[in-house]
Amino acid sequence: MSSWILQHFLNPALFWPGVALAALPIIIHLINRLRYKRVRFAAMEFLLASEQKNRRRVLLEQLLLLLARILLVLLILGLIGRLIVDPKHLSLFQGARTHHVILLDDTGSMRDRLGESSVFDQARDVVRGIIAQGAERPGTQRVTLVMLSNPTETSSGLTERDVDAQLLDDSAAQLQDLTCSFRTGNPVAALSSVRSRLISDRATEKVLHILSDFRKPDWYDNGALISELEALDNAQVSLNLVRLVNEQHENLAITDLTGAVETAAVGVPIVMRAKVLNAGKREVNTSKLAVAIDGQALNRREPLPPLPAGETREVTFDVDFASSGLHRVEVSLEADALEADNIRRIAVDVPQSNPVLVIDGTAGAVQGRYVADALAADQSVTGYSVTIDGPEGLRKRDLTPFALIYLLNVSDLPLDATDAIRKYVRDGGGLAFFAGETLNSTFYNKEFYASGKGLLPVSLAPTPTLLPPAPGTTPTPDLVVTDHPVFAILAGQENPLIDFVKINAYFAVDTSAPRAEGTRVIASLRDGAPLMLESEYGQGRVLTCLTAAGPTPLSETMQKLAIDPDSPGEVPPAVWNNWASGNASPTFVVAQLEIARRLARKDRALPHKIVGEEIAGTLDQAVFLDDVEIRTPDDQVIKIKADHAGEGPENASAATTSHTVSYHFRETDSPGVYGLRRFRKDQTTQETLLAYNVPPQESQLELITDDQLKKQLGGIEFTIQSPGETDWLRRESPGEEVRWWLLWGLILIGLLEQTLASRVSYHSAANQK
């Protein structure tokens, strides 16, 4: 049967019989013209002459009568077959074989509160209404439910199901168990998945119901989304956009929580930073941030600065930990429309102290002791423990446990030590390099600079250089610092102690050789020559200082070179610099602590993830058993057994190579802190924590307006249902407005037919009497 007929008639089976009946008046008309035998006689000549005068009029009246009778049959067909002018009225729930695909927005923003319920609860009610209306017309409607956060997987109980009373009963429990995710979603990918499903569908009518809050970040100025909707429209899919929210609600959200967790140690305060977004329409002035460690709230609340609508502010605060081990830090705001983004978490692995390795090539490790005093004069205050060793320490020690490594005045290194420190930095370690009297620049240029691809970002001059005296009588600081984090405290006029630093000797940079890409000069000499540089190597970071780390004596040769012939009585400088001694020493201590904080390896920080990201890793079968335990935020323990066949729970999988087994845990839809435990063969365990937070983009609750939607979607045919509107679900009599026109047309055409019939028919005078 033609799809046009199915789309435009509630009773399509009556269409062809009605068309056949419409031919009946034509057949009767032709039969009437052929049923008389023609006989000519003399008196006919007069009659034929009279008829010739009226023939056109009579023929026109007969044709009008025939047309009126055909129209009468067609009007009766329209009434009995229940004609629908707009097939969209029919395709929702009436008559035609229709496949309803419901794209349900279950992203985090749908947890927005609406009184005692949520936007998602309203969406579930609409789904129930669609199924209930379809169940009133069994055998004609099918339904598929697609979730926006995961469009490739459909609900097993609501995938291309025929809508009937049984489905209505089954879906009640399924919808009750359906929960809103905390994830973000990709509307473009979801529409593409729906289009792929509907293109191959053979249903007469296809309707896509999009149930969403229609947030502006997702729907406004999204060319790819518009293209997908156009493709659906071109595929003859009816688009029904169902709004669930009528206005933007006020919302504060914590979008990020970070801190110097890499340098956390027992009893040592670390600075934490929380970013708070005002996603509402009004300025907020009175809110406060609550902080909790391991579930215990601190006895203070951090006040937020004034927060204008649409802007983000950063709140800094200190936390410290009374014991080593794994800890949880949580910050929260007071409840508002969207509660999920009022909390953010971070997991911290706190050691007793952070180990630092200092490799000193100076006799007696003089420079190393200055660094050690700066970093660990009181370990309980700084959180660092320093190990001083000679160059041989790079060969005999495992470098992995150290937070960072200092390389001070080392002449050169054996090949295996060079490879070890390269690997350490490449894998995420930090290296602080300081020059000195014994440094062999030829070795460093070849092995560490390596034409700009090695550990050092610059090529060094063959020998040290003396900083010439400052010209004029006005004293000029030898050390000029930038606003880099290492010198942020020392920069500016508020910290004049930097003026006490005197630099006498340094290694100049070979300007003929290019610097490594991304190198940044963070401090220079008064003549503009670079003194300290920062660069990256692999996953790690390198700080290069071209002078010594302590007041190392100058050689006699360099002292003689420093004598000014015009000032024979002047005492020449005796050390490379005075940075670590005298009045300048406070700046040295501050700088070393900031260097350590800057370079400490970042791979020690525990991962923080977004809900939905899987927990994955590998197990070395020589060290670990194949068992893995996952503890969820609600304290459920899920055990994964990884074996060569990859067997395990359906939410986990494992794949084995020759020496390792990989594990994957995907049920991470809830925000919170997950625990991960692995079991070694020596009967010990390795535990870690992973903090999962909601995606910050779901905090933006601004809505796209109907006018903006209509302007964007231009030539696309669609309908928009207002929040709370349910009339479209209860359209009891589609085409009713057309039915009245058909009825009046039937009356008028009937009267016209009777008039024409009386006029063109033959009636004798006797009959009229």
Side-chain angles (χ1 to χ4, degrees):
M1 188 176 292
S2 168
S3 62
W4 185 91
I5 300 173
L6 292 171
Q7 292 176 31
H8 289 80
F9 287 89
L10 276 177
N11 300 317
L14 298 176
F15 179 80
W16 289 115
V19 171
L21 286 174
L24 189 61
I26 301 175
I27 296 172
I28 294 173
H29 176 77
L30 293 176
I31 291 174
N32 285 335
R33 289 179 62 84
L34 296 174
R35 69 179 179 174
Y36 298 105
K37 182 178 179 180
R38 296 183 179 184
V39 179
R40 298 183 66 84
F41 54 94
M44 285 292 294
E45 297 298 328
F46 174 76
L47 295 174
L48 288 173
S50 176
E51 180 188 10
Q52 195 70 25
K53 293 181 180 179
N54 300 316
R55 184 172 184 177
R56 289 184 177 179
R57 178 181 60 79
V58 172
L59 180 60
L60 179 60
E61 289 176 345
Q62 288 178 340
L63 289 176
L64 288 174
L65 178 61
L66 176 62
L67 180 61
R69 289 170 175 171
I70 293 173
L71 285 175
L72 281 175
V73 175
L74 293 177
L75 288 171
I76 293 171
L77 170 62
L79 283 170
I80 298 175
R82 301 184 69 180
L83 174 67
I84 303 294
V85 175
D86 187 354
K88 291 184 182 300
H89 293 169
L90 174 64
S91 64
L92 286 180
F93 302 104
Q94 311 279 344
R97 182 68 178 173
T98 305
H99 186 186
H100 298 268
V101 176
I102 305 170
L103 180 57
L104 176 56
D105 187 348
D106 65 329
T107 58
S109 65
M110 292 286 285
R111 290 178 171 270
D112 188 9
R113 301 298 301 176
L114 289 176
E116 296 300 319
S117 64
S118 68
V119 178
F120 187 77
D121 293 334
Q122 300 292 327
R124 285 191 302 190
D125 291 342
V126 174
V127 176
R128 289 190 189 96
I130 292 175
I131 295 175
Q133 286 299 310
E136 293 183 6
R137 295 155 187 86
T140 65
Q141 313 292 310
R142 277 187 301 149
V143 67
T144 296
L145 179 62
V146 178
M147 311 304 286
L148 180 58
S149 69
N150 194 4
T152 58
E153 295 186 13
T154 53
S155 173
S156 58
L158 291 173
T159 303
E160 298 192 18
R161 285 282 304 273
D162 288 331
V163 183
D164 51 23
Q166 183 62 47
L167 177 62
L168 184 60
D169 292 339
D170 294 344
S171 64
Q174 294 175 9
L175 291 175
Q176 188 64 35
D177 295 337
L178 198 63
T179 58
C180 185
S181 77
F182 292 91
R183 299 186 184 189
T184 188
N186 185 343
V188 177
L191 290 173
S192 177
S193 177
V194 169
R195 180 165 57 86
S196 300
R197 179 184 297 275
L198 287 176
I199 282 179
S200 59
D201 193 289
R202 295 185 178 181
T204 302
E205 270 296 314
K206 293 167 278 191
V207 183
L208 173 59
H209 305 275
I210 303 177
L211 280 56
S212 175
D213 51 6
F214 291 95
R215 296 183 306 127
K216 196 171 184 178
D218 291 335
W219 286 81
Y220 186 72
D221 198 23
N222 189 336
L225 184 143
I226 295 172
S227 297
E228 285 296 335
L229 291 174
E230 287 177 343
L232 286 163
D233 186 46
N234 294 335
Q236 303 302 310
V237 177
S238 300
L239 300 175
N240 184 36
L241 311 185
V242 182
R243 279 190 178 276
L244 300 166
V245 187
N246 57 8
E247 64 178 354
Q248 176 185 352
H249 296 155
E250 298 299 318
N251 183 42
L252 283 183
I254 306 173
T255 58
D256 194 21
L257 177 61
T258 58
V261 296
E262 302 87 0
T263 57
V266 173
V268 179
I270 61 171
V271 177
M272 304 292 293
R273 294 178 172 84
K275 291 183 178 179
V276 181
L277 166 69
N278 181 1
K281 297 180 290 185
R282 296 192 295 268
E283 181 175 90
V284 176
N285 295 301
T286 59
S287 189
K288 292 185 178 181
L289 193 72
V291 183
I293 298 177
D294 298 328
Q296 298 296 317
L298 301 185
N299 293 325
R300 70 175 191 268
R301 288 179 175 266
E302 305 297 334
L304 297 181
L307 198 53
E311 296 191 12
T312 298
R313 294 289 185 268
E314 186 176 82
V315 181
T316 61
F317 55 94
D318 293 341
V319 297
D320 59 78
F321 305 92
S323 62
S324 61
L326 298 171
H327 296 275
R328 302 167 174 85
V329 179
E330 178 181 287
V331 294
S332 59
L333 296 167
E334 297 176 356
D336 55 17
L338 189 61
E339 296 181 5
D341 60 10
N342 293 340
I343 302 175
R344 210 154 190 92
R345 306 164 183 88
I346 191 171
V348 186
D349 189 0
V350 180
Q352 192 66 36
S353 62
N354 292 289
V356 177
L357 178 61
V358 176
I359 303 297
D360 192 354
T362 309
V366 175
Q367 293 193 42
R369 288 201 297 270
Y370 281 104
V371 171
D373 288 343
L375 293 179
D378 187 343
Q379 180 179 313
S380 64
V381 174
T382 65
Y384 296 103
S385 58
V386 178
T387 300
I388 302 176
D389 206 343
E392 286 294 317
L394 294 175
R395 307 177 67 182
K396 65 184 181 182
R397 293 180 181 275
D398 178 12
L399 305 183
T400 306
F402 293 101
L404 72 151
I405 295 175
Y406 276 80
L407 206 59
L408 311 178
N409 193 26
V410 176
S411 175
D412 53 29
L413 292 170
L415 183 60
D416 55 350
T418 302
D419 291 340
I421 200 164
R422 281 200 198 102
K423 182 180 185 304
Y424 169 79
V425 179
R426 189 186 305 116
D427 291 345
L431 174 65
F433 173 86
F434 282 77
E437 186 72 29
T438 66
L439 185 143
N440 181 352
S441 61
T442 302
F443 165 80
Y444 281 96
N445 289 340
K446 179 182 178 182
E447 298 294 337
F448 277 29
Y449 169 64
S451 301
K453 300 186 182 300
L455 282 169
L456 295 187
V458 292
S459 177
L460 305 179
T463 59
T465 301
L466 290 170
L467 181 65
T473 57
T474 303
T476 303
D478 289 349
L479 182 61
V480 180
V481 299
T482 65
D483 59 354
H484 187 271
V486 168
F487 297 111
I489 298 177
L490 302 176
Q493 296 299 318
E494 296 180 1
N495 291 282
L497 291 177
I498 201 75
D499 296 345
F500 290 108
V501 177
K502 299 298 180 185
I503 308 296
N504 299 315
Y506 68 100
F507 269 88
V509 172
D510 182 358
T511 56
S512 65
R515 295 178 184 174
E517 186 177 353
T519 301
R520 178 181 177 184
V521 177
I522 65 173
S524 56
L525 297 170
R526 50 178 153 77
D527 61 359
L531 183 69
M532 299 180 72
L533 308 97
E534 183 184 72
S535 57
E536 294 183 353
Y537 182 75
Q539 299 298 316
R541 190 175 281 160
V542 178
L543 186 140
T544 302
C545 182
L546 301 179
T547 188
T552 306
L554 289 171
S555 65
E556 293 183 4
T557 302
M558 293 192 69
Q559 289 188 41
K560 290 178 181 179
L561 292 174
I563 296 175
D564 186 356
D566 297 330
S567 305
E570 183 176 336
V571 178
V575 294
W576 276 60
N577 61 68
N578 72 339
W579 195 8
S581 61
N583 293 331
S585 61
T587 65
F588 181 80
V589 172
V590 171
Q592 297 310 313
L593 290 171
E594 294 299 328
I595 288 172
R597 185 176 290 112
R598 180 75 174 171
L599 299 184
R601 58 185 312 157
K602 303 298 186 289
D603 59 344
R604 299 297 167 78
L606 299 181
H608 43 277
K609 296 175 173 287
I610 298 298
V611 289
E613 296 180 4
E614 69 175 9
I615 297 174
T618 58
L619 298 174
D620 185 345
Q621 291 183 299
V623 179
F624 290 94
L625 299 174
D626 295 333
D627 300 296
V628 175
E629 279 187 2
I630 306 291
R631 183 178 293 275
T632 62
D634 58 357
D635 283 335
Q636 293 187 30
V637 176
I638 300 175
K639 296 183 178 181
I640 301 173
K641 180 69 175 179
D643 57 25
H644 293 274
E647 297 177 354
E650 67 178 47
N651 65 352
S653 65
T656 306
T657 65
S658 57
H659 301 291
T660 62
V661 176
S662 64
Y663 57 86
H664 304 270
F665 181 79
R666 301 181 180 90
E667 295 298 319
T668 58
D669 292 330
S670 298
V673 178
Y674 290 74
L676 173 64
R677 176 181 292 178
R678 291 156 287 193
F679 300 87
R680 297 189 183 95
K681 291 185 175 181
D682 62 2
Q683 305 301 312
T684 62
T685 61
Q686 184 183 74
E687 298 184 42
T688 189
L689 298 177
L690 302 95
Y692 277 78
N693 293 294
V694 297
Q697 55 266 43
E698 290 300 308
S699 301
Q700 298 281 0
L701 301 182
E702 184 178 3
L703 308 179
I704 188 170
T705 65
D706 286 356
D707 290 340
Q708 289 171 333
L709 267 176
K710 292 174 182 177
K711 183 178 180 180
Q712 281 196 152
L713 302 186
I716 301 174
E717 290 189 25
F718 66 96
T719 56
I720 304 178
Q721 313 299 344
S722 299
E725 182 179 296
T726 57
D727 290 345
W728 61 278
L729 286 172
R730 297 192 297 268
R731 191 183 297 278
E732 296 297 340
S733 183
E736 184 175 356
E737 67 283 356
V738 177
R739 206 163 297 126
W740 282 106
W741 286 105
L742 292 175
L743 186 59
W744 282 109
L746 184 64
I747 295 172
L748 292 176
I749 297 298
L751 293 174
L752 177 63
E753 188 273 341
Q754 287 296 309
T755 301
L756 289 173
S758 176
R759 183 177 179 84
V760 301
S761 299
Y762 173 75
H763 298 279
S764 65
N767 290 338
Q768 290 178 356
K769 293 180 180 178

